[in-house]
């Protein structure tokens, strides 16, 4: 597993934008997928967006058209741009990474970054 470091959360007004970033704290190899999940109070953690093998991207239906995930493979860094933020987007956003190694798959999570959208 790898230690993931997130940045970019904070307080934003509705209609605004923000950009989250996430990268491993140190060297990390064979990262197959990187993405973002979020968890709002009293709700289950849910997928926001994920990038697989630096190419394929999947978005939650609620985020399509408002959200862009991108990845710098050389830096193992993943970015999440969210536009037209809504109060319903308020949640803790978690970075996720999956490594595929010869001895199996490993799943890592960041510590989470709070995003609060005010109306």
């Amino acid at each position: 597993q790898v230690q993931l470091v997130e940045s970019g959360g904070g307080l934003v007004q509705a209609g605004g934008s923000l950009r989250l970033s996430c990268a491993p704290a140190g060297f990390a190899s064979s990262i197959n997928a990187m993405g973002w999940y979020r968890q709002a109070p009293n709700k289950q953690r849910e997928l926001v967006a994920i990038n697989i093998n630096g190419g394929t991207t999947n978005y939650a239906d609620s985020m399509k058209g408002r959200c862009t995930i991108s990845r710098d493979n050389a830096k193992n860094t993943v970015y999440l741009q969210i536009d037209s933020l809504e109060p319903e987007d308020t949640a803790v956003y978690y970075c996720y990474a999956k490594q595929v190694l010869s001895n199996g798959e490993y799943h890592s999570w960041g510590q989470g970054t709070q995003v609060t959208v005010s109306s």
Side-chain angles (χ1 to χ4, degrees):
Q1 291 185 324
V2 297
Q3 181 182 0
L4 299 171
V5 180
E6 301 138 331
S7 61
L11 176 63
V12 184
Q13 286 191 331
S17 301
L18 60 73
R19 188 188 195 213
L20 304 179
S21 301
C22 171
F27 174 78
S29 63
S30 304
I31 294 182
N32 170 266
M34 293 189 79
W36 293 89
Y37 287 71
R38 68 184 182 185
Q39 186 166 18
N42 301 316
K43 292 188 176 180
Q44 290 188 333
R45 191 173 296 189
E46 62 177 6
L47 173 72
V48 177
I50 191 164
N51 177 284
I52 301 169
N53 279 333
T56 302
T57 55
N58 292 320
Y59 295 95
D61 288 342
S62 63
M63 304 305 293
K64 289 179 180 177
R66 300 193 295 124
C67 173
T68 302
I69 187 170
S70 59
R71 182 174 167 186
D72 183 333
N73 289 324
K75 297 179 181 179
N76 272 334
T77 301
V78 65
Y79 306 94
L80 184 71
Q81 174 76 31
I82 309 178
D83 301 315
S84 302
L85 280 158
E86 304 168 351
E88 292 73 23
D89 294 318
T90 295
V92 177
Y93 285 69
Y94 295 92
C95 181
Y96 163 81
K98 182 177 79 171
Q99 290 173 284
V100 179
L101 303 176
S102 59
N103 59 350
E105 293 184 356
Y106 295 84
H107 306 271
S108 301
W109 295 91
Q111 79 284 358
T113 184
Q114 177 70 47
V115 172
T116 303
V117 184
S118 62
S119 57

